[in-house]
Each structure stands twice: as C-alpha cells, then as structure tokens.
Amino acid sequence: MEKGIIKSANKLHHEKKIKKIIVISLVVILLILLIFYLVIGIIYNRGNVSITLEKDLYFDNGIIIYDDTEYKVYRSELLAPVPKTFDGMSYKWLPDNLGNVSLGSHNGDNYLAYTFLIENRGDEAIDYKYSVVISDVIKDVDEAVRVRIYRGDEDYTTYAKLSATGVAEKETVPFIDDKTINTEEVFNFSPGDINKYTIVMWVEGTDLECTDNILGGEIKVSMNFEKLD
C-alpha cells in the first residue's frame, strides 16, 4: 500500500516537474519571439531609406547634409519617412517634377520621395563619392523595386535589378550587384557648393517579379557619402 502511495506521489511530482519545465520553456520562447519582433519593429520603423554622412567629411572638411535650410547643423544620418502604402504601381504614374520640389519628404500614393542637400561649408575643395546600397530585404521584394536618383532638379537615373532573363528592365540601369544599386564620384566640390539629391523608391507593378510571392516584403536602402582618397 505504502509503495503504491509513494509511487503515485513520485509520478505526480514528476508530472508537475515536466509541466513546470514546459511552462518555463514556453515563457522563454515567447520572450525570444517578443525580443525578435521588437528588434524588427525598431529596424523597420526607422524608415525604408537612410542617408548617412561619413563623420570625417564633417569634422575634417565641413561637409553637412540637411533637408531644411533653416536647420543647417551636423547630422550623420537623415531618415526618409515611409509612405502610407507601398503597393505595386507603374512608373508612368510618377509626377514629372519629383526633383524640383521642396526639401524633405514628399511621398505620394505608393512611392517614397525624399529630397536633401549636401553642402561644403569648409575651406577647401574635396572629392567625395556616394553609394546606394540595399542594407536589408525580406521576401525578395528587391526583385521588383525601382530606385530613382535625381541629381539636381531634372537629371535622374532609374535603377532596377536585372530581369529573370538577365536583361535590363525597361528604362532602367541595372544594379551593380545584389547589394549595390549604384555608386558615383563627385570631384572638386568647392567651398560654398551645394548639391541636391532626390531619392524615389517604389514597387514596379509591371515587373514580372511583382507577384504575390513578395506580398508583405520589406526593403531598406541607404545612401552613403564618404570622402574619396
């Protein structure tokens, strides 16, 4: 009788121990998932496009980037706000004057548009370069993304990944590689010079890679300025 009672007590104790382990494991998993989603949220809530300035360009050469002429201070990074919607659209729907508008964000329906300036407030001319790179992508949405860079008010180039058949998409210049969209060098940027850039990004609905497979996808792009050696 006593052996039976002891056996039952041991069994009950063992079951409680297993349940406790299961509960602790579930709590740990939930905490890990919560941390993961918080990190993802922080990353993607910071914007789809960032513009970064190498700190030496400011400290050594007095170069600044800004999107407000009343607020010309050193910032190492500018962030372009995300449009309310980012569904597929046609490049034909874009306004003609996206490079000739006010500074800052001027997003439209389903596209991101952001204009900023880089200025030489130093004492000598320098050479710099910028690179536009994909810093993160989810669900291969980059296969159908278009990135347009304006230099000044009207001069622009539209970039896209090569098509599935290995040819350039219509009216675009291919990305340099899977991560680098383009890079450009600027020479003799003299004191007092100001260059204007506008970056536009959208998902091209006419692209054959714009399918249900990329629904819910995300992409982060950065435009990085650094000094040429």
Side-chain angles (χ1 to χ4, degrees):
M1 183 70 174
E2 289 182 3
K3 289 182 179 180
I5 294 172
I6 293 171
K7 188 175 181 180
S8 296
N10 289 336
K11 182 179 180 182
L12 183 61
H13 177 73
H14 182 67
E15 289 176 350
K16 287 183 177 180
K17 188 175 181 180
I18 291 175
K19 287 180 180 179
K20 186 176 181 180
I21 292 172
I22 292 173
V23 169
I24 292 173
S25 299
L26 289 173
V27 170
V28 170
I29 292 171
L30 287 173
L31 285 173
I32 292 172
L33 289 174
L34 179 61
I35 292 170
F36 173 77
Y37 283 111
L38 282 174
V39 170
I40 291 295
I42 290 170
I43 291 172
Y44 283 96
N45 284 333
R46 294 183 71 242
N48 291 82
V49 173
S50 63
I51 295 92
T52 65
L53 180 74
E54 184 181 55
K55 64 180 182 179
D56 290 343
L57 275 174
Y58 171 74
F59 290 112
D60 295 343
N61 304 103
I63 307 300
I64 61 171
I65 53 174
Y66 56 93
D67 59 9
D68 183 347
T69 55
E70 301 299 319
Y71 191 60
K72 293 185 179 183
V73 299
Y74 166 66
R75 282 174 287 181
S76 61
E77 184 178 44
L78 300 173
L79 297 174
V82 182
K84 292 181 180 179
T85 56
F86 226 150
D87 299 326
M89 59 166 282
S90 170
Y91 69 95
K92 296 178 181 178
W93 302 348
L94 292 171
D96 294 329
N97 64 336
L98 284 176
N100 188 20
V101 295
S102 58
L103 299 179
S105 175
H106 44 101
N107 297 339
D109 293 335
N110 298 313
Y111 68 86
L112 179 149
Y114 182 79
T115 300
F116 67 97
L117 303 175
I118 179 169
E119 180 176 348
N120 186 345
R121 305 192 79 183
D123 300 320
E124 60 182 28
I126 69 156
D127 303 326
Y128 73 83
K129 74 173 182 178
Y130 69 83
S131 300
V132 184
V133 299
I134 298 172
S135 51
D136 199 8
V137 65
I138 296 175
K139 297 188 70 174
D140 296 327
V141 71
D142 56 326
E143 298 292 341
V145 158
R146 300 291 186 271
V147 178
R148 178 176 292 180
I149 305 295
Y150 282 82
R151 306 159 195 84
D153 292 343
E154 299 179 0
D155 177 34
Y156 71 81
T157 305
T158 303
Y159 301 90
K161 268 194 167 183
L162 290 173
S163 70
T165 58
V167 299
E169 298 285 0
K170 184 178 180 181
E171 297 184 31
T172 72
V173 172
F175 291 176
I176 293 175
D177 54 46
D178 285 344
K179 291 295 183 182
T180 307
I181 294 172
N182 84 309
T183 186
E184 187 168 321
E185 298 179 346
V186 177
F187 299 97
N188 196 33
F189 189 52
S190 300
D193 284 355
I194 299 175
N195 285 344
K196 179 181 180 183
Y197 295 97
T198 299
I199 184 165
V200 183
M201 187 166 69
W202 72 96
V203 176
E204 180 54 51
T206 63
D207 194 311
L208 294 179
E209 278 75 51
C210 186
T211 66
D212 289 345
N213 293 331
I214 67 171
L215 287 176
E218 292 273 5
I219 186 171
K220 284 182 69 65
V221 170
S222 61
M223 187 173 184
N224 309 313
F225 289 83
E226 57 186 304
K227 186 176 180 178
L228 275 174
D229 296 330

